[in-house]
Amino acid sequence: MFKMIGIILILLSGTLAGFHKARQFAARPRQIREMILALQRLETEITYGLTPLPDAMAKMAEQAKEPLRTVWSSASRWMSPLMRLSAQESIQRALNDNWKRTAMRSSEKEILHQLSYTLGTSDRQDQIKHIALAAQQLKHEEASAREDQIKYEKISKSLGLLIGALIVILIF
Amino acid sequence: MNLSWLEWLPETIKSLLLQISPDILIQMEEVRIREGRPLEINGPEGHRFVTLQGTLTLDAKTAYFPKRDDSRRMLDLISNHSLYTMEEELRKGFVTVPGGHRVGLAGRTVLSGGHVELIRDISGFNMRIAREIRGVADPILPYLIDLRARRIRHTLILSPPQHGKTTLMRDLARQISSGGYGQSEMSLQGIKVGIVDERSEIAGSLRGVPSFDVGPRTDVMDACPKAEGMMMMIRSMSPEVLMVDEIGRMEDANAVTEGLHAGITVIATAHGAGTDELKQRPALALLLENQMFERYVVLNRTSQGLGFRILDQQQRTLQLRDTQGRVQGGGSLV
């Protein structure tokens, strides 16, 4: 009886782990896309709205979905004058604190990390260039993330169940 | 003690300055940050360099040398992390921060069509600490009132830079606009004052709202070219007194003349140590020749205090007060 329950538990957790992995594969390109859209919004805020960076980030947070919302809102909060942090430090802190909650990988983080060095430190035209460059790089990552999704999403689902079954066979 | 200006300096420099004795801090006029060159402060006593221990010295070699990171942080702080919102300021070469303090910028300029488009690679900052000295205009104001006509006379305030023209203008605006100045029996009511504040210095406006008390009946046209601003004020805001800083060009003189003919009192300032110097400047010489101004106030400030000389329309001295406050020449008030 206990054996049965154990087997079911192992199979169940294996399957769930597989589904989780598959969801990550599906979420990554979607979140990268959202990130690109957010950057485009930022570009508009900078060029047409002349919105200061903290306000622009807060606006991006309002319009974004979780988990990106937290990234932007925490960047905006770190930029408050009381914190006395530079824009670069604020963005990097926000990325470091919240990146684990996203499905994105370190390559995307690195792109935003690079962008943080220039954000807010130059005139509009320069800003546009840097944002466009980051968006371009993200698009590249998005394409490879989509490939990964096609390749691995379904496999991970079945793999989870199979690994669960393997463990069961090995144990019993 | 108002040390709000410290908030706009990077942490390293702020902590150095906080080690200086408070007596010196409250009198400080300028903080000069130049990347890779000694950190300098300016006060009534002249300039001093600041060492890494927070002491003051005249020896540049022992001073603290601000680093690249310092200037980056400073720029980040004064621009609210958003330099792109300050293109206009970068063209003009200064930024006004909350509190009315003005940060002058120096760096490499980018030209477009022969004109400065903006400054980049900013490596030099000059923070001019703005102070409100209430009552600084008290000894001067009585000479500017025409008691018979119950109006303020057309006045030109003259002094070299850093002698307190702007501080005087601010207090004049406040007193004229709130009224109740002068001796009690001849005290005047507050009248409408218009300030054209091209360099955001008089009112220290932030998003159009003055940081300083410039009086209840005062309108400020912020960051507006003087000549244009004066005409706009005359046309739309019906000021009784129009105040403008640092006139010097021909179009400024024309606008002043326009204001005078429109029956508006003009109080203006100009660089110069005396009325003789004005004759060399075409625009101002014209105003002088036509006796447009009824009073000239020449300021002279040393570490001892503020001295001034008041001249009438024909440039005769009405009163002279030296920097110790000794008065020479009776000078009638009327």
Side-chain angles (χ1 to χ4, degrees), chain A residues 28-39:
Chain A
R28 186 169 161 231
R30 201 184 58 236
Q31 288 181 3
I32 298 178
R33 176 107 305 250
E34 280 168 19
M35 190 63 94
I36 294 170
L37 289 176
L39 287 184

Side-chain angles (χ1 to χ4, degrees), chain B residues 178-245:
Chain B
S178 24
Y181 45 82
Q183 283 100 322
S184 53
E185 68 269 25
M186 39 181 169
S187 95
L188 295 179
Q189 282 193 331
I191 50 179
K192 285 177 283 182
V193 176
I195 300 178
V196 182
D197 201 2
E198 181 167 4
R199 296 173 310 147
S200 305
E201 260 196 318
I202 304 178
S205 300
L206 197 77
R207 291 192 207 97
V209 182
S211 311
F212 297 111
D213 180 7
V214 285
R217 301 196 71 196
T218 302
D219 301 300
V220 181
M221 193 72 84
D222 187 41
C224 183
K226 284 174 284 260
E228 226 175 312
M230 278 191 270
M231 295 314 293
M232 283 163 76
M233 277 282 186
I234 294 169
R235 276 198 295 265
S236 59
M237 300 305 285
S238 70
E240 286 160 277
V241 176
L242 193 57
M243 303 185 81
V244 54
D245 219 358

Side-chain angles (χ1 to χ4, degrees), chain A residues 52-67:
Chain A
L53 216 44
D55 300 347
M57 293 269 169
K59 274 192 190 168
M60 282 156 75
E62 264 171 39
Q63 293 170 358
K65 281 188 235 135
E66 288 295 353

Side-chain angles (χ1 to χ4, degrees), chain B residues 24-181:
Chain B
I24 297 174
L25 270 191
I26 51 169
Q27 286 194 45
M28 241 155 81
E29 285 156 13
E30 283 184 347
V31 183
R32 288 176 167 271
I33 296 162
R34 304 177 177 101
E35 193 179 310
R37 282 152 291 167
L39 173 65
E40 177 189 328
I41 61 164
N42 270 299
E45 242 89 293
H47 81 281
R48 290 282 184 283
F49 298 111
V50 184
T51 66
L52 209 53
Q53 288 76 40
T55 52
L56 300 181
T57 170
L58 273 170
D59 178 17
K61 281 193 209 77
T62 58
Y64 172 68
F65 286 60
K67 311 218 164 21
R68 158 137 279 178
D69 191 54
D70 290 323
S71 51
R72 266 200 17 241
R73 274 168 193 281
M74 174 106 188
L75 208 55
D76 202 79
L77 282 168
I78 58 177
S79 68
N80 188 16
H81 315 293
S82 320
L83 203 61
Y84 53 83
T85 56
M86 313 221 129
E87 285 179 12
E88 190 56 39
E89 284 89 341
L90 289 182
R91 194 168 10 250
K92 287 187 174 154
F94 66 87
V95 177
T96 306
V97 296
H101 314 297
R102 217 176 57 149
V103 184
L105 308 167
R108 195 165 67 85
T109 58
V110 177
L111 299 185
S112 153
H115 292 282
V116 176
E117 167 112 344
L118 48 90
I119 311 174
R120 50 176 307 175
D121 304 332
I122 295 167
S123 63
F125 300 86
N126 171 22
M127 174 170 250
R128 289 183 75 171
I129 297 157
R131 280 223 171 74
E132 224 174 341
I133 307 180
R134 282 163 176 262
V136 75
D138 284 347
I140 296 170
L141 194 54
Y143 292 94
L144 310 186
I145 306 169
D146 185 344
L147 278 174
R148 261 173 288 189
R150 292 187 79 77
R151 55 179 279 276
I152 308 287
R153 294 171 193 273
H154 306 305
T155 307
L156 183 67
I157 300 169
L158 285 168
S159 89
Q162 287 263 304
H163 278 245
K165 280 192 300 285
T166 308
T167 316
L168 177 63
M169 283 289 265
R170 199 176 292 142
D171 200 48
L172 278 176
R174 182 181 66 84
Q175 297 209 30
I176 294 171
S177 156
S178 24
Y181 45 82

Side-chain angles (χ1 to χ4, degrees), chain A residues 45-46 50-54 56 79-80 84-90 119-125 127, chain B residues 6-11 14 72-73 75-77 79-87 90 117-118 120:
Chain A
E45 289 292 345
I46 286 176
L50 283 179
T51 319
L53 216 44
M79 277 186 216
S80 124
R84 294 188 66 82
L85 291 174
S86 68
Q88 175 208 335
E89 289 165 333
S90 312
L119 224 46
T121 60
S122 58
D123 55 294
R124 271 186 282 177
Q125 274 180 355
Q127 296 282 300
Chain B
L6 275 170
E7 296 309 314
W8 306 101
L9 299 171
E11 211 58 49
K14 182 183 167 190
R72 266 200 17 241
R73 274 168 193 281
L75 208 55
D76 202 79
L77 282 168
S79 68
N80 188 16
H81 315 293
S82 320
L83 203 61
Y84 53 83
T85 56
M86 313 221 129
E87 285 179 12
L90 289 182
E117 167 112 344
L118 48 90
R120 50 176 307 175

Side-chain angles (χ1 to χ4, degrees), chain B residues 269-304:
Chain B
T269 72
H271 280 304
T275 46
D276 295 337
E277 276 182 28
L278 297 184
K279 291 175 188 143
Q280 266 115 58
R281 297 164 67 180
L284 294 174
L286 199 72
L287 289 174
L288 209 64
E289 223 170 87
N290 296 342
Q291 303 198 344
M292 284 297 183
F293 289 108
E294 297 164 275
R295 287 287 181 271
Y296 298 90
V297 180
V298 184
L299 300 180
N300 167 33
R301 194 180 59 150
T302 62
S303 52
Q304 273 111 40

